[in-house]
Amino acid sequence: MAGTSDAASVSADPAVPITLTDVTAEAGIRFTHNTGAFGEKYLPETLGAGAVWLDADGDGRQDLLLVNSTDWPGRGDGTPPALYRNEGGWSFTDVTGGSGLDDPIYGIGGAAADYDNDGHVDVYLTALGTNRLYKGRGDGTFADVTAAAGVGDPGFSTSALWFDYDRDGHLDLFVANYVEWTTETDLFCTLDGETKSYCTPESYTGQSATLYRNRGDGTFADVTAAAGVAAPSAKALGVVMLDTDADGWMDLFVANDTQPNQLYRNRGDGTFEDIAVTAAVAFSETGVARAGMGADAADYDDSGLPGLVIGNFSNEMLALYHNEGNGLFIDEAPRSPLGRATLLTLTFGCFFFDADLDGRLDILAANGHVADDVGRVQTRVSHAQRPQLFRNLGGGRFEEVTGAGEGFDAPLVGRGAAYADADGDGDLDVVITANGGAPRLLRNDTAAGNVLRVRLVGTATNRDGIGARVEVSTGGGTRWRRVRTGSSYASQSELPVTVGLGNATGVESVRVIWPGGRVDETGAVEANQSITIEEGAGIVDMSPVER
C-alpha cells in the first residue's frame, strides 16, 4: 500500500519528449467505421465504436479488433467488425473473413478475456440489439455461443467488462446499457426549428445495466436485480472495475450520460451498494449530473488507492477524482490545468497509462462531439476534435503535451481508445477510433525509461488473473497496477501490466495479490524484462524486452 517515497530516484528525465507516431497506413490498417447514417439522424449513429487489444491466436503478440456498426435494415449488405492479426514488425493482416467474428451487427464496444479458463481468449461485443459472445478456439477463430451462454442482452449496450465479483474463480460479465431507442420510437429533434439534428439522451428513457454471473459451466445467470445493480434510469456509457476501499473485492464505477454516475461497492456477499452520492462522484462539484462518457481508474499519485478520470461533455471538462481514503473523492480538475485544457472538448475514450515509462501514470483523452452540426450553435466547439495527452508531473499535477506527433495534431471524431505494447519493445502504443472514420494507430517512439512487464496466469483464480494487484518495489518505493478488462469507452487495453521504472535498473521484488487473496512474491528482477507469474508457482517465464 505504500506510495513512492522518492519519486526522483525512479523517474526518467522529465524533459524527454513524448512522441507517438501515426503508423496506421504503414501497419496495413484499412478500416473505416460505418455508422449506417443516411440522413435520418438516428441517435445510435453518434456513439460507435470501440477497439479491443487481444492475443487472438496465442502467439504472444497483441492483435487488434475494431468494432463496427453497420447499415440500417434495407440500406446495404452490412459491415462486420475487423480483426487484424499482429504479424510483428508493425505489420497487421486483416483476418476477419473466416474468423467467426465476421457477422455484421450494429456494434458499439467489446471486452475480451478467458471466461471459461480454457487458455483461449474469448470476445464479447456490445451492440444495439442482441450482444454477442464468441468463444475463442486459440487459433484466431471464434464460435458464437451467445444463445447457449445466455448473455445476448437485447438492449442498447455500450461498454462491458469481465470481472470476478464473487471471487469464485469464474469471470462474470457487466454490460452497460444506454437508452430505450428503436427506429420506430425515434424522435424529431432540431437545433434551428426546421432541420433534424441528433437528439440528446434526455429525450429517451434510460436502461439498466445487466450483470451476468458465470455459473462455471459455460452458462450465465442474469443477477442484475439480486445483486443490487438494477437502475432503470441509468444511461451508461463507460464502466471501470476498481477496489475503491482496498478490501480485496472488485467494485464498479459507471459513467452515465446526463444521469448521476454510480459507484457500486462490492459487499462481498454477492451484492453491491451504490455509494456514488456519499463518495461525491455522482455529480459535479456544483451538484449537477454531467454527461459522463468513458472512464478509467488507477493510482495516479502513488497514494495506494485508485483515483478516477471521467470523460465528460463539452463545457464540462474532464473529471479527475482523487481518492481521499475515507470514502470520499475530490475532483481536482476544476482547479488544474487539466480542467482548463478540457473545458471545450467532448471526451469519450480516456485512460491512465505510463507513456514515457517514468513510473507515473499519464492521461490520454479521445475527443469528438456527437452533433455534426454543433458549430452552428457553438462556434468554439467542433465536431472533430484533437485527442489530448497529459503528462503526469507528480503530486497529482498534469500538463498537456504539445508536439506529441501528427496523431495529436489533426482532429477526428474520437470515440474508443486503448493501449498495448504492439511491437514488444516495452512501451505502450495506442489506438484511437473515429466515429464514421478511420482509426489511428500510434507507435510510441518516446525515448522512455526502463520497464518491467508482467503477465499473470491464474490457477485457483481466473486464468487471466483479472482483478489481481501487481506491486513492484524498487529503491524508490512501491508502485502497483491492476489487471483489468474494460475501462476507457467501449474499448479494452491489453491484459499484461506495464510498470515504468525510469532510471532504475531492476526491481527488488514483484508481489501479486490474487483475486482470491493468495499472495505470490518474487525476488529481484532486472529491468527491461517481460515475466510471466503463475499463481502458486512464481515466475514461470522470462524474456528480455528489446528496448
Side-chain angles (χ1 to χ4, degrees), residues 210-223:
T210 306
L211 176 61
Y212 293 103
R213 181 180 179 275
N214 189 337
R215 294 189 179 104
D217 61 358
T219 68
F220 292 76
D222 184 341
V223 295

Side-chain angles (χ1 to χ4, degrees), residues 55 65 88 117 123 128 206 224 227 235 258 301 320 322 326 358 361 433 457 487 490:
D55 185 0
L65 175 61
N117 294 328
V123 173
L128 173 68
T224 309
K235 300 175 181 179
T258 70
D301 62 349
L320 181 64
H322 179 260
N326 57 2
D358 67 350
L361 292 172
T433 67
V457 177
S487 298

Side-chain angles (χ1 to χ4, degrees), residues 21-30 88-92 406 441 443 445:
T21 304
D22 189 340
V23 294
T24 313
E26 171 189 330
I29 305 295
R30 309 279 188 267
W90 286 104
S91 175
F92 286 77
E406 58 187 6
L441 183 60
R443 183 182 64 212
D445 288 332

Side-chain angles (χ1 to χ4, degrees), residues 82-143:
L83 177 63
Y84 282 91
R85 183 176 63 214
N86 187 342
E87 309 286 3
W90 286 104
S91 175
F92 286 77
T93 302
D94 187 340
V95 294
T96 312
S99 68
L101 300 176
D102 49 355
D103 184 18
I105 59 174
Y106 203 92
I108 302 293
D114 181 4
Y115 77 88
D116 54 359
N117 294 328
D118 67 351
H120 307 315
V121 67
D122 312 299
V123 173
Y124 188 78
L125 294 183
T126 63
L128 173 68
T130 303
N131 297 340
R132 305 294 173 87
L133 175 61
Y134 298 95
K135 178 176 165 54
R137 299 188 178 99
D139 60 357
T141 67
F142 298 82

Side-chain angles (χ1 to χ4, degrees), residues 333-404:
R335 292 163 292 280
S336 74
L338 177 76
R340 292 189 290 273
T342 59
L343 180 60
L344 296 180
T345 57
L346 195 166
T347 301
F348 273 86
C350 56
F351 55 73
F352 294 104
F353 78 133
D354 190 350
D356 52 2
L357 300 181
D358 67 350
R360 296 189 289 255
L361 292 172
D362 312 300
I363 295 174
L364 184 140
N367 305 317
H369 210 277
V370 293
D372 54 5
D373 52 359
V374 64
R376 295 165 52 193
V377 293
Q378 297 186 56
T379 57
R380 297 176 65 196
V381 178
S382 60
H383 185 216
Q385 301 175 2
R386 291 188 307 104
Q388 292 170 293
L389 179 62
F390 297 93
R391 188 176 211 152
N392 189 334
L393 302 178
R397 297 174 299 118
F398 291 84
E399 68 173 6
E400 185 170 5
V401 175
T402 59

Side-chain angles (χ1 to χ4, degrees), residues 198 251 297 374 426:
Y198 287 110
D251 311 307
V374 64

